[in-house]
Amino acid sequence: MRMHGIKNRAEVVVNRCQKLAGFSEDLASTRRTFLSPPMHDCHREIAGWLSPLGVKVSIDAAGNLRGVYPAVERNAPKLLIGSHLDTVPNAGAYDGILGVVLAVALLEALGQRRFPFAIEVVGFSEEEGVRFGAPFIGSRALIGRLDDELLSRCDAQGISVRKAIENFGLKPGKISQAVLRADTLAYMEFHIEQGPVLEKLGRPLGVIDTITGQSRLEFTFVGRANHAGTTPMDVRYDAIAAAAEWITAVERLARDTSGLVATVGRINAKPGATNVIAGEARLSLDVRHGSDEARTGAVDNLICLAEQIAKRRGLSVSDNTLLNQQAVRMDPILMNEIEEAIRKTGCEPHHMVSGAGHDAMILAEKVPTGMIFLRTPGGISHDPAESVEVEDVAKAIECGLHLLDQIASSKA
Ligand code: GLV
Ligand code: MN
Ligand code: MN
């Protein structure tokens, strides 16, 4: 394999990720949520890279970018390679995006060489769950799980997923056409690790065995709004104070439970004024554990704690589950192939668990799925300081090319 050419390709990948980071809803930082206007620019830019390769690009009704690189023969099965194109607020340039840009680089590196399978590049429209609180809108469409309940869910402006799709110029009635064909061979995703493990071990690439399960819920504490100056402390029903007590209980439980991580990442209070006791506090909860039993047990426990705290303070609390996603094991055959491909690049693969959620965990319900992690400098992600080493991206491209050859020879 020509390493010089691959290093150049890796530099192009990094530059392209940086360019896409400029397509943002915010002026000074990157935020590109589900089907927001800058997603049009992002799609246009990627289509511009794919078209010269003879790749037909379309946007499906869930807003996913789909580009098909043809097989040697017509009507061949498809191998999917991709990741997501949406971001968190104040995002870095690589989470998700790298996996899509890297797939484009793989096709470019093929120099028009064809396989017995078509290769479909997928840029998922939504993985983070920022705009609607529920993640994986894009990948759920591919497995036929983008249901009415999710389509009716509204963002902070009261716009539903369905309406957001229409506003982007797409037709929600055609979502069923986004579903994967039965002859899909596999899905592969390259993604930055977003943690410190590979860096600590000095290894550029990792093989994912399992993606941990995750629960996402919304809690609403309801008390009574009142005057901050005239209401004595013993007759208050302060929703923020109750929420605060519960948040510290969440942290305590996670600290005391091995392998558990739990996060309250967002809190909105009403009416939201300095001199008014909050009558309502709405909070998000994100809970993850490698064991589904431990995760759901922790969620039950936290619901109970919220109820106890609310009752003791004379408030009420309600909870709404937005996601209850089981831990997912990657396909063992693909894991072996990935391990072999990493070895061929001269690197020692490291088997690991992903604490972050990925589109791969959704696709795995329907097709054999494999994931490759790239070392993340400083383990920093979901932040503008997120980065990758060009050399590691080169190794990932090399690994991807070996994988394509291996899959082709296993299907021959
Ligand atoms: C996706 O970034 C996640 O929250 O795991
Ligand atoms: Mn991601
Ligand atoms: Mn992310």
Side-chain angles (χ1 to χ4, degrees), residues 25 33-37 86-87 126 128-134 137 153-157 159-161 163-165 167:
E25 292 159 69
T33 57
F34 179 71
L35 299 188
S36 56
D86 67 316
T87 76
E126 211 282 348
E128 301 285 4
V130 171
R131 181 166 174 188
F132 293 94
I137 297 175
R153 204 173 155 73
C154 288
D155 67 8
Q157 272 66 50
I159 298 170
S160 66
V161 174
K163 186 77 185 130
I165 289 172
N167 291 348

Side-chain angles (χ1 to χ4, degrees), residues 84 88 95 127-129 135-136 191 194 211-212 214 216 286 288 354-358 361 381-382:
H84 60 98
V88 291
D95 172 6
E127 182 263 9
E128 301 285 4
F136 308 123
H191 202 285
Q194 309 180 275
I211 305 177
T212 57
Q214 50 174 293
R216 295 197 193 187
D286 179 312
R288 307 188 193 199
S354 171
H358 297 289
M361 71 199 301
S381 184
H382 282 184

